[in-house]
Amino acid sequence: VTSQLMNILQIDKNSTFSLLFDFKTAAAFPIDTIYSLAYSGFQSLLKLDPSFSSFGEAFFPTAVYSKPIIRENMLEQENNDLHIKLQDFLLKLQGYFLREDAQKVLELLIKAYEVHRYEAEELIVGYINYHKTVEYMKLLQNVNVLQKQQWAFLEPIVKTGESKLDRTILVRKIEENPG
């Protein structure tokens, strides 16, 4: 019973994170619906850039969502391999971040692969070119910015929901913490 409760709590906790929807609405969407949205987004991205096909087998092997990924239960090597694939995929998505299709894919990566937890650094740094956009602020709201001390300065900005990150603050903090 305790493990079942923990699984329910884990699902509820992860279901509230969202790039596309407000947190309450996001909780109402089952993962297979998110997968369908992401799959259609991925298909659109493939039409724009066929090189996305290298990620199809790993993240979209079928048109229908098949099984959940629980990273806590994965072996260390499996998780490391997945991390490398996700890093490459996130890197590829960067140039398309403002497109709704890419955001649909990122929504799945948040829901199914918990990139907001495991690849937080890649999201913060990799998408920093979009720091003046509302979309970047929504992305940051999904990431635990306190995970690393160097990003703690983002917490007040994320909490207030400011729509734009001031470039001077960003540059100053990066210069203070180049690592």
Side-chain angles (χ1 to χ4, degrees), residues 62-82:
T62 64
V64 179
Y65 187 69
S66 58
K67 65 176 185 165
I69 305 293
I70 302 172
R71 291 181 74 170
E72 289 90 6
N73 295 344
M74 294 174 75
L75 297 173
E76 185 177 355
Q77 187 58 50
E78 290 174 318
N79 218 337
N80 289 339
D81 292 345
L82 178 59

Side-chain angles (χ1 to χ4, degrees), residues 2-154:
T2 303
S3 66
Q4 289 173 332
L5 181 58
M6 291 305 289
N7 285 337
I8 290 168
L9 290 174
Q10 181 71 30
I11 291 167
D12 287 345
K13 181 183 76 170
N14 289 335
S15 68
T16 60
F17 292 101
S18 180
L19 182 61
L20 295 175
F21 311 105
D22 64 64
F23 296 136
K24 191 173 186 177
T25 303
F29 281 102
I31 188 69
D32 57 335
T33 302
I34 298 298
Y35 184 88
S36 294
L37 284 171
Y39 185 81
S40 71
F42 183 74
Q43 294 303 312
S44 295
L45 290 171
L46 270 174
K47 290 176 185 169
L48 290 172
D49 185 345
S51 69
F52 272 106
S53 65
S54 62
F55 302 104
E57 185 62 35
F59 301 106
F60 297 99
T62 64
V64 179
Y65 187 69
S66 58
K67 65 176 185 165
I69 305 293
I70 302 172
R71 291 181 74 170
E72 289 90 6
N73 295 344
M74 294 174 75
L75 297 173
E76 185 177 355
Q77 187 58 50
E78 290 174 318
N79 218 337
N80 289 339
D81 292 345
L82 178 59
H83 178 71
I84 290 167
K85 288 178 191 172
L86 284 165
Q87 281 181 314
D88 291 344
F89 198 18
L90 291 170
L91 181 65
K92 181 67 179 170
L93 284 168
Q94 285 174 10
Y96 299 88
F97 178 58
L98 295 180
R99 296 185 62 86
E100 186 178 13
D101 294 323
Q103 292 171 25
K104 289 176 183 178
V105 171
L106 283 166
E107 183 78 10
L108 178 71
L109 299 181
I110 290 169
K111 295 277 194 189
Y113 297 95
E114 298 183 89
V115 295
H116 62 289
R117 289 179 55 204
Y118 292 96
E119 284 75 33
E121 182 93 4
E122 288 82 355
L123 292 172
I124 294 170
V125 175
Y127 292 78
I128 209 159
N129 288 340
Y130 298 99
H131 70 277
K132 290 186 176 184
T133 67
V134 172
E135 292 83 0
Y136 185 71
M137 282 296 111
K138 277 199 87 157
L139 183 65
L140 285 183
Q141 288 174 335
N142 286 285
V143 175
N144 180 3
V145 294
L146 295 177
Q147 193 172 9
K148 286 195 173 183
Q149 184 60 34
Q150 75 186 73
W151 303 114
F153 77 93
L154 293 170

